[in-house]
Amino acid sequence: MTFLSRSERFAVVGSTNDVVRDWLAAGTPEVCLAVAGEQTAGRGRDGRAWIASPGAAVLLSVGFRPTWLAPDAVWRLAAIVSLAMAEAAEAVAGLATGTIRLKWPNDLVLVASDGVRKLAGVLGETDGLGAADPRAVIGVGINTGWGAAAFPPDLTGSMTSLTAATERPVDDDALVLAFARGLEARTTALRAGSFDAPTWAGRQVTTGRTIRIERPDRAETVRATGVDPVTGGLLVDDAASGATRAVLVGEVVHVRLADPIAEAV
């Protein structure tokens, strides 16, 4: 695929984000892609560990050199990666469009009859924004072949996989290929100045729901009303003023849905 300047698959790595960060530091052009079947030092947001047994998930990272994006718009790279993966997973697993949603700020979830369950995590890391050589790495870990019987006991009620959701095996190679093709289209559009805000906003599972926002020093329960396509922030009703305000990614530790089934997502 000519869209990708470099694409490699590994059986085991420490972290695909670290692999791609090293590539970019060594001068690899965008867009580059590292895929692994297992990570020994995978991580999620705020330093949390990302755990997946061998062969249970597709773990990948995409590297960009976003000289063509304003620093305050680089968050859109994580948005288009998330959309490309949601669309690819639905297509490969045979799920209806809209079954996989985005849970602000960094999860993909599957809406099922028994609630909202976490399917994938997204981690964006940047270096040098605003400088001559900005770099961005977007990592995704999506549960594919993980059977429900093997879920960690403390996560059984809040996580899922494509196999668990469909009761069918998933072709990981087909998923990666579909993801790369979808990402190519979305990256080309974004480079041309077009961000698909309606689709990004339409897939947000938090919209219209009561949520709990956990900050480093406090927590609050509010109603989410949407997302801001300019800042990438989560829009919520402010009970004190009655106005709508935006909550930015850097302000929060976690966002939880108030629905008891989804509380651990």
Side-chain angles (χ1 to χ4, degrees), residues 30 62 64 66 68-85 102 104-105 122-126 129 136-140 179 182-183 185-201 204 227-233 249:
E30 66 170 33
V62 185
F64 298 90
W68 42 274
L69 268 179
D72 60 1
V74 168
W75 64 267
R76 290 179 172 176
L77 295 175
I80 64 171
V81 166
S82 297
L83 287 173
M85 182 56 78
L102 310 182
W104 192 94
V122 180
L123 176 65
E125 297 177 316
T126 61
L129 295 188
V137 180
I138 313 298
V140 182
F179 164 75
L183 182 62
R186 291 197 172 277
T187 301
T188 299
L190 190 58
R191 282 175 176 158
S194 176
F195 173 58
D196 189 2
T199 299
W200 173 69
Q204 299 293 330
V227 282
D228 181 1
V230 176
T231 65
V249 172

Side-chain angles (χ1 to χ4, degrees), residues 50-213:
W50 177 267
I51 301 171
S53 56
V58 167
L59 310 165
L60 61 82
S61 295
V62 185
F64 298 90
R65 294 184 179 278
T67 54
W68 42 274
L69 268 179
D72 60 1
V74 168
W75 64 267
R76 290 179 172 176
L77 295 175
I80 64 171
V81 166
S82 297
L83 287 173
M85 182 56 78
E87 292 163 349
E90 288 173 345
V92 172
L95 296 168
T97 300
T99 303
I100 298 174
R101 307 285 289 279
L102 310 182
K103 176 173 168 283
W104 192 94
N106 66 320
D107 290 338
L108 273 64
V109 298
L110 194 145
V111 179
S113 59
D114 59 351
V116 178
R117 293 175 176 268
K118 182 170 179 175
L119 177 67
V122 180
L123 176 65
E125 297 177 316
T126 61
D127 294 297
L129 295 188
D133 184 25
R135 306 167 202 164
V137 180
I138 313 298
V140 182
I142 179 168
N143 299 326
T144 54
W146 206 335
F151 291 166
D154 58 330
L155 298 177
T156 297
S158 63
M159 70 176 285
T160 191
S161 71
L162 294 177
T163 292
T166 63
E167 299 183 346
R168 296 189 302 272
V170 174
D171 186 332
D172 287 356
D173 290 341
L175 176 61
V176 173
L177 181 59
F179 164 75
R181 287 174 172 166
L183 182 62
E184 178 176 12
R186 291 197 172 277
T187 301
T188 299
L190 190 58
R191 282 175 176 158
S194 176
F195 173 58
D196 189 2
T199 299
W200 173 69
R203 281 195 183 255
Q204 299 293 330
V205 76
T206 49
T207 301
R209 290 177 178 263
T210 300
I211 60 172
R212 178 179 172 86
I213 298 175

